[in-house]
Each structure stands twice: as structure tokens, then as C-alpha cells.
């Protein structure tokens, strides 16, 4: 029997750089609506829900008839918020889709979900999307998380610095994306582990597994034109791009 795959979209109202961004309007609909629609378009996704700790977001979801689950406020990361929802979901695989990516490619979601669904290595706790970095400025941008992998495609390290360092010549830099899929037990294990010094220093969730000796499978996804919305300026860019594609 095929595993049941459910996507959870964590949405927080109080982002420091852009409060209220999950319900910011994009061409007549709130951002979270666009993320939800792209998520349910992904092949293999059986269901999706919004996860939030804020009544303003909950009310918007209810008006739009979007599934929503309320969570505690004091989560260290979006994945911890998703993990709280796991106990209330009928799912074998749980996909964490960021609530600030209204242009996310449904194919990227499908590939990352398949990555863990078809993996038989018990030490692999999650799959994580990545793509190649083509811009030199992105390679040195500390807002862009980089990843290096083993020959088997498992994550060796994540950093906001440009890894690997090109001491011996040209290198290939890979961008880690905030798109994850977990087996149910893997997500429960993630929530049971405390953030370690590397995760706290880098601010990269998947380092929690690496520090504890577990593995994360990296899955290459298409390079697309979608951008995460971190600031009002990003929102304006997304509005223009989505308006131009209609």
C-alpha cells in the first residue's frame, strides 16, 4: 500500500522583518492561499493543512475554507510546529512546505516527498530539497543556506558561508531549500531532540539531525523563478511576477 502523504504549511504572524506576511494580499488572495493551492497540485500529496498559532490567520483560513490546525506559540522552528500537528494527522509521510513561498513549484514538493517515501535506509530521517546556485552573489549571501553532500546524496554539512571553499579551483555550490519531508517517526524524533550548537549558530533546522548522527537525503529539484517572501519588497516582486504570468 502506498504511504499516505500529507503536507503541512506552517504560518506565523509575527515575523520580525514582515509581520502578517502569510495573509498579505497577492493579486486578490492571501499568500497562504497561493502556497496551499500549489501544494495540493503536487503529485502524490493526499492532503494539506495550514498550521498556525495565530487567530488572525485561522480566521482567514476559515473564510477561504482552507484546512487549519492551531498550535502552541513557543516553537523553536517551523518544523517543530509541523511536528506538533503530526500527532493529529493520519499520515505516513509529512511534508513541511514553507508558508512564505507562494510560487513554489509543485514538482519540487512531489520530488522531495518521493525521496523519503522510497528510501529504505532507517538512518535517513528526512529528505530535503536543493538546487544549484548559479549566481556568485548568492554563493556568498549569508541569507542563502548552502549544503554539501556525500556521493550517495546525503547531507554532510549546511552553512550560510560558501561551502565548499574554492581553495583548489572552481566548485559547485548547492542551495538548501526550506522544503522537507519526514517519515512520521522521523518527525517525532526531530521534535524530541534539542537544538545543538551548530543548529543554534547557523539557524538551519536540519543540522539537528546531522549533529545527532542521523542522515538527511538531499533531493535536487528544478531551478525556478519563485522567491521566498521575507520583506515587503519581495512581496512586490512576487505580485508583479504572478500578475505577468496570468
Amino acid at each position: 500500500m502506498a504511504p499516505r502523504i500529507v503536507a503541512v504549511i506552517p504560518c506565523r504572524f509575527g515575523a520580525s522583518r514582515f509581520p502578517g506576511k502569510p495573509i498579505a494580499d497577492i493579486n486578490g488572495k492571501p499568500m497562504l492561499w497561493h502556497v496551499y493551492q500549489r501544494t495540493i497540485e503536487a503529485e502524490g500529496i493526499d492532503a494539506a493543512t495550514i498550521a498556525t498559532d495565530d487567530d488572525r490567520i485561522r480566521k482567514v483560513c476559515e473564510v477561504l475554507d482552507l484546512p487549519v490546525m492551531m498550535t502552541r506559540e513557543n516553537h523553536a522552528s517551523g518544523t517543530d510546529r509541523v511536528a506538533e500537528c503530526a500527532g493529529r494527522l493520519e499520515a505516513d509521510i509529512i511534508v513541511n512546505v514553507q508558508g512564505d513561498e507562494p510560487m513554489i513549484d509543485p514538482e519540487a514538493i512531489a520530488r522531495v516527498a518521493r525521496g523519503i517515501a522510497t528510501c529504505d535506509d532507517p538512518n535517513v530521517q528526512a529528505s530535503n530539497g536543493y538546487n544549484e546556485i548559479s549566481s556568485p552573489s548568492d554563493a556568498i549571501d549569508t541569507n542563502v543556506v548552502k549544503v554539501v553532500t556525500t556521493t550517495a546524496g546525503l547531507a554532510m554539512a549546511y552553512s550560510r558561508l560558501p561551502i565548499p571553499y574554492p581553495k583548489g579551483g572552481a566548485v559547485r555550490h548547492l542551495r538548501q531549500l526550506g522544503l522537507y519531508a519526514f517519515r512520521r517517526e522521523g518527525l517525532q524524533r526531530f521534535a524530541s531532540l534539542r537544538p545543538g550548537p551548530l543548529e543554534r549558530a547557523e539557524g538551519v533546522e536540519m543540522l539537528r539531525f546531522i549533529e545527532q548522527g542521523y542522515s538527511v537525503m538531499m533531493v535536487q529539484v528544478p531551478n525556478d523563478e519563485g522567491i521566498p517572501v521575507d520583506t515587503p519588497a519581495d512581496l512586490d516582486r512576487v505580485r508583479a511576477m504572478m500578475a505577468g504570468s496570468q
Side-chain angles (χ1 to χ4, degrees), residues 1-131:
M1 182 180 295
R4 177 171 170 80
I5 303 176
V6 176
V8 179
I9 305 166
C11 291
R12 190 167 62 91
F13 191 92
S16 58
R17 286 187 289 178
F18 191 175
K21 69 178 179 179
I23 56 176
D25 180 83
I26 300 177
N27 303 336
K29 295 288 186 181
M31 180 160 59
L32 59 79
W33 181 90
H34 292 278
V35 178
Y36 179 84
Q37 298 303 320
R38 287 181 175 252
T39 299
I40 60 175
E41 290 175 12
E43 183 179 356
I45 299 298
D46 296 298
T49 186
I50 309 292
T52 188
D53 61 359
D54 193 276
D55 279 333
R56 289 162 289 191
I57 292 175
R58 175 185 59 81
K59 290 175 182 176
V60 169
C61 290
E62 290 174 349
V63 168
L64 294 171
D65 199 27
L66 299 179
V68 61
M69 302 179 79
M70 296 299 291
T71 68
R72 300 191 307 273
E73 296 180 5
N74 60 335
H75 285 300
S77 70
T79 301
D80 289 294
R81 191 177 307 282
V82 172
E84 182 188 341
C85 297
R88 291 176 269 164
L89 294 170
E90 293 185 11
D92 303 300
I93 303 294
I94 298 159
V95 186
N96 179 352
V97 180
Q98 301 298 305
D100 60 1
E101 297 205 28
M103 299 184 71
I104 190 167
D105 186 345
E107 175 62 17
I109 299 171
R111 288 190 190 183
V112 171
R114 283 196 299 270
I116 194 67
T118 58
C119 177
D120 57 7
D121 183 344
N123 199 54
V124 175
Q125 297 297 302
S127 53
N128 185 186
Y130 78 91
N131 55 32

Side-chain angles (χ1 to χ4, degrees), residues 160-180:
R160 295 181 182 277
L161 293 176
I163 56 173
Y165 181 78
K167 182 178 180 180
V171 298
R172 177 173 174 249
H173 287 115
L174 307 177
R175 175 191 288 105
Q176 183 242 15
L177 305 176
L179 176 60
Y180 317 110

Side-chain angles (χ1 to χ4, degrees), residues 139-218:
I140 62 173
D141 186 345
T142 55
N143 291 313
V144 177
V145 177
K146 274 68 70 174
V147 61
V148 289
T149 67
T150 68
T151 55
L154 303 178
M156 292 177 64
Y158 299 94
S159 181
R160 295 181 182 277
L161 293 176
I163 56 173
Y165 181 78
K167 182 178 180 180
V171 298
R172 177 173 174 249
H173 287 115
L174 307 177
R175 175 191 288 105
Q176 183 242 15
L177 305 176
L179 176 60
Y180 317 110
F182 303 81
R183 296 188 184 93
R184 174 187 285 275
E185 59 271 22
L187 186 54
Q188 291 169 340
R189 182 168 287 118
F190 178 92
S192 73
L193 298 171
R194 299 183 67 177
L198 290 180
E199 180 186 355
R200 292 195 299 270
E202 292 275 7
V204 180
E205 297 166 293
M206 289 298 99
L207 282 169
R208 192 177 310 183
F209 279 145
I210 303 300
E211 289 186 81
Q212 294 290 339
Y214 296 111
S215 297
V216 177
M217 176 189 297
M218 300 305 301

